[in-house]
Amino acid sequence: SSGASPRAPAKSGGGKAAKGGPRTKRVRFTREEVEALLTGYRKYHGSTNMWATILDKYRHVFQNRTSVDLKDKHRNLVKVGEA
């Protein structure tokens, strides 16, 4: 067992690094990141490469995040009714 708690914070980086490297430390999304994600989603929803576009337009907010991090966070916000 990895010993990870089911209440571990949201990841930044998606588990194991390429080539079987060490796991990246999970970093919670800040309130500013969540607000930028939701604003970007409303603005760019349905556009081609939406998550990459949001990441690019709000690069000053999303330090060390990937478009997959944004997608996963949005999915989790929808799941708990916050998006």
Side-chain angles (χ1 to χ4, degrees), residues 67-80:
S67 57
V68 175
D69 293 330
L70 302 188
K71 173 187 66 72
D72 290 344
K73 180 61 176 179
H74 187 267
R75 183 192 64 225
N76 290 328
L77 289 171
V78 168
K79 197 185 315 187
V80 297

Side-chain angles (χ1 to χ4, degrees), residues 8-72:
K11 288 189 280 187
S12 170
K16 290 191 174 221
K19 303 287 183 189
R23 286 182 66 97
T24 55
K25 182 165 173 45
R26 295 178 184 202
V27 179
R28 287 187 182 273
F29 270 68
T30 64
R31 186 70 223 160
E32 183 184 19
E33 286 177 312
V34 171
E35 289 171 3
L37 174 59
L38 295 176
T39 299
Y41 182 84
R42 285 190 295 271
K43 188 170 185 178
Y44 299 107
H45 178 68
S47 68
T48 304
N49 298 321
M50 175 179 63
W51 303 116
T53 301
I54 294 169
L55 187 63
D56 182 57
K57 298 295 184 185
Y58 296 91
R59 179 48 73 189
H60 63 284
V61 177
F62 298 116
Q63 304 292 318
N64 302 311
R65 301 286 185 191
T66 67
S67 57
V68 175
D69 293 330
L70 302 188
K71 173 187 66 72
D72 290 344

